[in-house]
Amino acid sequence: MGRRGRMVWVLGGLVVLVLAYIAAWQWDLLPRQVIATGTVETRDGKTLKTRQYYRTSRDTTHKSPAPGPERKVAVWEVQLPSGRWVDCNGDDCLAAYDRTLK
């Protein structure tokens, strides 16, 4: 195996690690800092869990090579019967649930 073959294996390994991290985040295997929880009842009687957590992002600074200051925004999510979490605004979690089913 030459130099090119090793490089392909290293690059493939990095791609697999990144995909595994994204999948773990999507499937809620990486814990989030939950601030509040609640429930929403649908019209057909199902009870769905809701949670509020901090979503971290950065403000970009104009023409600066350094990353901007960290910003934490409190956001809500509702859990679908399949187990997947979707974003909602806190007041419209039931509407977010309805939109995902259509």
Side-chain angles (χ1 to χ4, degrees):
M1 177 184 304
R3 185 180 187 121
R4 188 174 300 193
R6 280 192 297 258
M7 194 60 147
V8 169
W9 279 103
V10 168
L11 186 60
L14 286 174
V15 168
V16 167
L17 285 175
V18 169
L19 291 176
Y21 180 80
I22 292 170
W25 184 265
Q26 253 332 77
W27 293 330
D28 204 28
L29 299 175
L30 300 174
R32 295 182 174 165
Q33 183 183 1
V34 176
I35 334 172
T37 59
T39 58
V40 172
E41 190 169 335
T42 63
R43 289 177 198 76
D44 56 353
K46 293 180 185 174
T47 302
L48 306 173
K49 295 179 187 176
T50 60
R51 68 181 176 189
Q52 186 181 31
Y53 69 96
Y54 286 122
R55 179 176 290 156
T56 306
S57 64
R58 293 203 176 264
D59 291 327
T60 57
T61 54
H62 183 66
K63 294 186 178 182
S64 172
E70 189 176 272
R71 180 177 51 148
K72 288 187 175 184
V73 179
V75 294
W76 282 92
E77 290 182 319
V78 61
Q79 188 177 24
L80 302 178
S82 65
R84 181 164 185 204
W85 292 87
V86 294
D87 290 343
C88 63
N89 288 335
D91 295 336
D92 76 335
C93 288
L94 189 57
Y97 166 73
D98 290 335
R99 279 193 306 268
T100 57
L101 293 183
K102 290 183 181 181

